[in-house]
Amino acid sequence: MLWHLASLILFFLPLSSAAWPNTPFRTSGRWILDATGANVTYVGVNWPGHGEVMIPEGLQYQSIPAIVSKIKSLGMNTVRLTYAIEMIDQIYANGEADVTIGVALFNALGRTNGSKALEDIVRNNPGFSSTTTRLQVFDAVVAECARQEIYVHLDNHVSKAGWCCHPFDGNSWWGDTYFNTKNWIRGLGYMAEHAKSWPNIVSMSLRNELRQPYTKPNLYQTSYNWETWYSLSRLGADAINAANPNALIFLSGIDSSTNLSAIAQGLSLTPGSETFSLSSFHYADKLVLEIHTYDAAQECAAFEKKLFNLGFQTLDGSTAKNTLPLVMTEFGFLQSNQTYKNVYVTCLGRYLPAQRVGWTIWVLAGSYYIREETQDYDETWGLLSHDWSTWRSPEHIEEGLKPMINASLKVESPPKNSGAFMSGVGGARHLGWVALLVSVLGMVH
Ligand SMILES: *[C@@H]1O[C@H](CO)[C@@H](O)[C@H](O)[C@H]1NC(C)=O
Ligand SMILES: *[C@@H]1O[C@H](CO)[C@@H](O)[C@H](O)[C@H]1NC(C)=O
Ligand SMILES: *[C@@H]1O[C@H](CO)[C@@H](O)[C@H](O)[C@H]1NC(C)=O
Ligand SMILES: *[C@@H]1O[C@H](CO)[C@@H](O)[C@H](O)[C@H]1NC(C)=O
Ligand SMILES: *[C@@H]1O[C@H](CO)[C@@H](O)[C@H](O)[C@H]1NC(C)=O
């Protein structure tokens, strides 16, 4: 009985005690709120795990805690962790057992380089061995993020594992060479189910950068449109929501996640005449829009206007037809000592915090196990150096990125006790609950 009382109190307590991560998140208009009702702004980085090996990158050079500590040292709160549907396809083909990293490295890198990479990964991460599975590596990355209080947004980046994205790569659109719709839905559901036990999973995407399937002209002509986007995005979102109703679901537009105007402006989802209807989703308070931008902007005001028309309008309650939260899940650039001073970067550095829009920069990786057939590929856009040990451009980190992170996180939320459940309940009452809990636990011990 006492234990029942104690667990009842424990059940209610997190709503008022601000225990990180305060999940589940939900949306309210253009805001993302945590379970206490406080605004949450995603500020983070992309950590790829969708390459040919199908595990998070960098572990042949550093330990997971060392990498997560680098992210944490910036003050970031989110990792956008990417995966390939092929990983789940292989699990089903293998009697629902995941492939070991020994096998995955061998398959992707060949015998000699694969066993060398395995040796390096295990040396840096002694909890692993050749029989550790790929999902166990994802689990370990996520667990360390949780330990360091970093949220995880899980992103389906591709179907067939490998570098993304261009319109000729076979991964572009439902029905493209490698993009099997049924496998995609199965994969989203599988990952939503798997990730449900991660304490810090807050959201999942449907698909990275949907784009023109140019190698299939007939598919492009008949299917590359907003009508298809709407019906199939709904199926994917349903699959995630059915497996994990707590997760936020990120919807991207078409044209490589650059254009959400049809949603923001409530335009007809052509060639049909239906329009996007938030209230038609039974989990309407779980939907978030995501947008990417890679741009040779020359002038900030013009760039901002362009971004507004491409999707930021959704934040503007006075003109948008559909108001949803928005997160810029990708922008990125060469990590030199100069590029971060470009209009594109400095403009986003001001605009995103000013709009109170969250973001995850592309990309953490200093190198990849393999990319586009080159092993140990150097990532010149990586925040980290080739061996993931230091920042590639310390100037960018100090003068560009850190101030942008601070500016994005700066605005304080209202006091925690104004959350939904506790609304109107003062701090004294809150203390009363804690006192009761302490006394109950005291009696039990
Ligand atoms: C979120 O932040 C905005 C801007 O500061 C503020 O207007 C709004 O009230 C906040 N909402 C909550 C629930 O904190
Ligand atoms: C193995 O790694 C070495 C050194 O990184 C590289 O030169 C070689 O091309 C790799 N082998 C294969 C099969 O890619
Ligand atoms: C964005 O999409 C809308 C509607 O689909 C289209 O009319 C517009 O031309 C697009 N804008 C850009 C810059 O591609
Ligand atoms: C940036 O400049 C510093 C010296 O100021 C240098 O050590 C570093 O290698 C440079 N980084 C790049 C990416 O050019
Ligand atoms: C960011 O904010 C932290 C804490 O408020 C502060 O210590 C740090 O100096 C700030 N850094 C920058 C680059 O603004």
Side-chain angles (χ1 to χ4, degrees), residues 9 13 426-439:
I9 294 167
L13 197 65
R429 175 75 175 279
H430 173 180
L431 280 177
W433 280 96
V434 175
L436 181 58
L437 173 71
V438 168
S439 64

Side-chain angles (χ1 to χ4, degrees), residues 228-308:
T228 304
W229 174 87
Y230 198 38
S231 62
L232 296 180
S233 289
R234 295 190 76 113
L235 293 182
D238 286 350
I240 291 174
N241 182 260
N244 181 359
N246 285 336
L248 298 179
I249 299 169
F250 281 28
L251 306 175
S252 65
I254 65 176
D255 294 352
S256 305
S257 298
T258 60
N259 190 346
L260 298 160
S261 60
I263 301 173
Q265 295 169 17
L267 307 177
S268 293
L269 300 171
T270 53
S273 55
E274 204 179 351
T275 59
F276 182 85
S277 162
L278 193 54
S279 60
S280 70
F281 291 83
H282 67 85
Y283 43 87
D285 68 348
K286 293 294 182 185
L287 297 179
V288 172
L289 298 178
E290 66 173 318
I291 195 165
H292 294 178
T293 188
Y294 294 100
D295 202 285
Q298 294 301 311
E299 208 267 307
C300 190
F303 184 38
E304 289 181 1
K305 184 159 183 259
K306 183 173 171 184
L307 289 172
F308 181 86

Side-chain angles (χ1 to χ4, degrees), residues 54-67:
M54 294 180 245
I55 61 171
E57 300 284 345
L59 307 182
Q60 81 278 43
Y61 284 121
Q62 300 293 329
S63 71
I64 292 172
I67 296 170

Side-chain angles (χ1 to χ4, degrees), residues 74 397-407:
L74 298 174
I397 298 294
E398 294 304 325
E399 293 165 21
L401 197 60
K402 281 186 178 174
M404 183 179 178
I405 292 165
N406 271 16

